[in-house]
Amino acid sequence: MLTDLAQSIQAVADWITLHITMWVLLGVGLFLTFTLRGVQVRLFPHMWRVVFSSRGGARGGISSFQAFTISLAARVGVGNVFGVAAALYLGGPGAIFWMWIVAAVGMATSFTESTLAQIFKERAEDGSFRGGPAYYMWKGLHARAFGAIFALIAVVTCGFVITSVQSNAIAQTVSFAGSVNPYVIAALLFALSAPVILGGIRSVARVTEIMAPLMALVYVGLAVFILIVHAADIPTIIGSIFTAAFNGEALGGGVGGGIMAAIINGTKRGLFSNEAGQGTAPNAAATATVSHPVRQGAVQSLGVFVDTVIVCTATAIIILAAGPDVWNDPNAHPGTLTTMAVIHHLGQWALVTMTTLIAVLAFSSIIAAYVYSDVNMAFVTTKPWGTWAVRIVSVTSVSLGAVMSLDVVWNAVDIAMAVMTVTNLVALVLLSRWSAGALRDYEDQRKRGIDDPVFCGRSNPFLPADVPSDVWDRPTTCQD
């Protein structure tokens, strides 16, 4: 019965992706790329400089770099390991091409949503900042009900579904490495996640500031080593990705393929991995203390590139370089394919390394998903019970996810994210004048020789109106 339900939900998710999400995602991404004059290309070198100079300037709050690592912790997770494997397994090598397309236009989308999150953020009682789609729907579009609908979807999706999926991935990985009672895994995850999640957003920021960059470097390091060993095969592998994107070639001659399968799985797994347009990363972006919203927009846009073009591509090459012996192994499926490929390249000792690495990737995504849920619950209610409800549900779902079979939830999360994404993308188009104006203001100041532009929310000639909060008020005018 559960299998039939999972298949039914999967069919609905595929239909939504092919007929709605894909076209809206690509269409809005191209619209924003045009509106922002190719910001993801023009500011690409500057994005790197901003990231590496963003650890300071938080003045006791959360720095731009910490906000970047919170969102990176959510992006660089199970989607990069299981998600890419699922895309290849079900869509063939061509699915990776469509992941690249989603990322290319998604960089402009991510820039916009994160810049808007900064413009319309508000200060919480503890002095930290909160913001995201619900807030810019409310303050930018003057539609609080619209924001509340998004917030409620995000609370459930991030606080329960995504955390459960990530903890289930940890349980599957540990079980593949050795026979471990899932209840033992659940207890361990509870012991690790509870102190961090119950400690609040600042606690998450301190953990992810170290964990996210480290895990990305270790994982990419493994990939680089494998690439060096298989350097002669790289042109063929890249060629197979481009070729399969348009001829529907299956992985290993039969595991998965077809043009529609490549497009559907590349789009879905690309969105699940890099989150561009989904409306989750802006919740982290809004928490940063920065001098100008565009700085955080640039940082978050680069996160999409790091996630998909670097980390996801590395995973794809690891799997494709392993060859048909691994692809067609009876034990190969999305939950094991990447680990089996790494073991094929490096030997059995890599099993422990991959198990540890996947566990860290998933755990970092768990605590980042909590942040997203907490921010959106604060939009629904500022009562203390709301904050603690999110924390308790998040910790509980981490434990439950390790012992539950989540086939239905894995498929349902695609539908939930599609609803979140389309809702958010509508708001991005309607508010595009604000992000474009903020970008013009930032670039105008840089042209005038100001290395660290400062944003003013009132009487700013580049904005369509004054920002409806006092977060960006300055004692002097914007013309000084």
Side-chain angles (χ1 to χ4, degrees):
M1 182 176 178
L2 285 176
T3 301
D4 292 339
L5 179 59
Q7 291 176 346
S8 298
I9 295 176
Q10 182 67 56
V12 173
D14 285 349
W15 188 91
I16 291 175
T17 298
L18 184 60
H19 294 90
I20 300 176
T21 311
M22 181 182 71
W23 299 108
V24 176
L25 194 66
L26 296 179
V28 171
L30 290 172
F31 169 78
L32 294 174
T33 297
F34 176 79
T35 301
L36 300 173
R37 295 170 293 125
V39 64
Q40 64 267 57
V41 177
R42 292 190 302 106
L43 292 190
F44 187 73
H46 182 66
M47 290 176 183
W48 288 99
R49 291 194 293 272
V50 170
V51 167
F52 289 115
S53 64
S54 62
R55 288 180 63 90
R59 298 187 295 276
I62 293 176
S63 71
S64 178
F65 184 77
Q66 286 177 322
F68 169 72
T69 57
I70 289 174
S71 62
L72 185 63
R75 285 189 173 118
V76 182
V78 169
N80 299 86
V81 181
F82 290 3
V84 174
L88 286 170
Y89 190 82
L90 301 173
I96 305 304
F97 172 84
W98 295 105
M99 291 183 76
W100 291 341
I101 296 300
V102 169
V105 299
M107 289 180 71
T109 306
S110 183
F111 174 90
T112 299
E113 62 184 356
S114 297
T115 299
L116 290 174
Q118 275 287 326
I119 292 174
F120 296 106
K121 69 183 180 181
E122 65 176 25
R123 195 182 300 275
E125 291 182 2
D126 64 356
S128 64
F129 292 112
R130 293 181 182 273
Y135 292 83
Y136 54 68
M137 291 172 187
W138 170 32
K139 296 187 176 183
L141 297 177
H142 309 290
R144 184 173 177 82
F146 191 29
I149 292 173
F150 178 91
L152 289 172
I153 296 172
V155 167
V156 175
T157 302
C158 299
F160 181 75
V161 178
I162 291 180
T163 50
S164 297
V165 167
Q166 301 288 349
S167 64
N168 184 258
I170 295 175
Q172 287 188 23
T173 301
V174 174
S175 296
F176 178 71
S179 180
V180 181
N181 190 306
Y183 288 96
V184 173
I185 300 174
L188 181 60
L189 287 174
F190 177 86
L192 292 173
S193 62
V196 178
I197 291 177
L198 297 179
I201 290 178
R202 282 198 174 96
S203 175
V204 172
R206 288 192 294 269
V207 172
T208 55
E209 181 180 23
I210 299 172
M211 183 182 293
L214 179 61
M215 69 182 182
L217 286 174
V218 171
Y219 189 65
V220 172
L222 281 175
V224 169
F225 179 80
I226 294 172
L227 288 178
I228 292 174
V229 174
H230 293 273
D233 300 326
I234 292 178
T236 302
I237 291 172
I238 298 298
S240 71
I241 291 174
F242 280 96
T243 301
F246 301 100
N247 70 9
E249 177 183 322
L251 180 66
V255 176
I259 295 177
M260 287 298 100
I263 294 174
I264 289 173
N265 287 283
T267 302
K268 284 200 304 184
R269 297 309 149 209
L271 174 60
F272 181 79
S273 180
N274 65 47
E275 303 182 41
Q278 182 179 313
T280 47
N283 294 291
T287 64
T289 301
V290 294
S291 59
H292 199 290
V294 166
R295 287 183 63 87
Q296 198 60 32
V299 166
Q300 300 301 130
S301 179
L302 186 63
V304 174
F305 178 86
V306 171
D307 173 88
T308 305
V309 178
I310 296 180
V311 183
C312 285
T313 301
T315 300
I317 292 175
I318 288 173
I319 294 173
L320 293 174
D325 289 344
V326 172
W327 308 337
N328 297 328
D329 189 294
N331 295 317
H333 57 79
T336 62
L337 187 55
T338 304
T339 299
M340 291 175 64
V342 173
I343 292 173
H344 172 82
H345 294 301
L346 303 179
Q348 192 64 32
W349 67 267
L351 176 60
V352 175
T353 302
M354 282 300 296
T355 300
T356 303
L357 189 60
I358 292 172
V360 171
L361 288 166
F363 182 76
S364 63
S365 295
I366 286 171
I367 57 178
Y370 149 71
V371 173
Y372 299 156
S373 185
D374 183 71
V375 169
N376 282 282
M377 176 58 81
F379 182 85
V380 177
T381 177
T382 57
K383 300 291 185 181
W385 68 262
T387 298
W388 281 102
V390 168
R391 294 178 183 180
I392 292 171
V393 168
S394 296
V395 172
T396 302
S397 66
V398 169
S399 301
L400 291 176
V403 298
M404 293 173 60
S405 175
L406 294 184
D407 289 342
V408 174
V409 178
W410 268 100
N411 294 327
V413 74
D414 289 331
I415 298 176
M417 288 194 302
V419 174
M420 287 175 61
T421 301
V422 173
T423 304
N424 182 50
L425 292 176
V426 170
L428 297 187
V429 171
L430 296 176
L431 293 170
S432 59
R433 291 188 303 162
W434 286 90
S435 57
L439 178 59
R440 289 196 298 271
D441 174 53
Y442 185 83
E443 293 187 302
D444 177 72
Q445 292 186 51
R446 290 187 65 219
K447 288 179 181 178
R448 291 190 280 118
I450 302 174
D451 293 331
D452 188 14
V454 177
F455 185 68
C456 180
R458 298 192 181 278
S459 303
N460 189 320
F462 296 99
L463 299 179
D466 289 342
V467 176
S469 74
D470 60 358
V471 170
W472 295 107
D473 285 357
R474 290 171 56 197
T476 55
T477 68
C478 296
Q479 305 302 317
D480 57 350

